[in-house]
Amino acid sequence: MPDGAVVFASIILLLPMLYLLLAAPAFLLVRLDILPVARLLRAMFNGYFVTLAGAGAIGAIAVAVTGHLGLAIGIGLIAAFAAASRRWFLRQMDARITDRNAVDADATRRLRQLHWGGMLSNAVQLVVVVASIPYIAVAPT
């Protein structure tokens, strides 16, 4: 029988990851040299990182309360990675947007690369969480 707290933690971790997995590719179809589009992309990633860090913190606490300390540390690491990545990622994105405003020809290309990198990072985390569900859902107490 699966542990309820572990299932809860898995679900709340998957929600922001699935959101970004579905929403981010839409930005591949638009030009990022349009300022409102670039700002919307930035806002989407900001929301993703904040939500993932919050969901990870809540999930880690929920799992730790049930006594699964190793799993709580793993979920906490995902939350910490999201919080740390947010600062770096948004700083890089702001720099690319500012460069684009200063008519840097490569700024839009670098913004697109940053977008791809964010999607790849999310995909890797998503695969790790989904692949670990069969092992953690029946974690011993």
Side-chain angles (χ1 to χ4, degrees):
M1 185 66 145
D3 187 337
V6 173
V7 172
F8 167 77
S10 299
I11 290 171
I12 65 169
L13 273 180
L14 288 173
L15 290 177
M17 290 178 182
L18 289 172
Y19 159 74
L20 191 71
L21 180 74
L22 296 174
F27 284 90
L28 296 173
L29 303 174
V30 295
R31 294 175 41 179
L32 295 181
D33 59 347
I34 302 168
L35 187 58
V37 172
R39 286 185 179 157
L40 185 60
L41 178 67
R42 183 196 186 281
M44 181 189 66
F45 273 103
N46 182 44
Y48 161 72
F49 286 123
V50 168
T51 305
L52 186 59
I58 291 168
I61 292 167
V63 171
V65 167
T66 63
H68 301 102
L69 297 181
L71 183 56
I73 290 171
I75 294 172
L77 286 174
I78 291 173
F81 179 74
S85 296
R86 178 182 175 269
R87 289 184 75 188
W88 179 87
F89 193 85
L90 294 181
R91 195 174 300 139
Q92 294 297 314
M93 191 166 272
D94 289 340
R96 300 301 83 72
I97 292 171
T98 301
D99 292 347
R100 188 206 58 79
N101 291 339
V103 193
D104 181 357
D106 285 339
T108 303
R109 182 184 56 78
R110 289 192 311 265
L111 185 59
R112 179 69 69 195
Q113 289 173 340
L114 198 57
H115 175 215
W116 274 103
M119 289 191 312
L120 178 63
S121 174
N122 176 62
V124 168
Q125 291 179 52
L126 181 64
V127 166
V128 168
V129 171
V130 168
S132 65
I133 287 175
Y135 303 105
I136 64 175
V138 291
T141 56

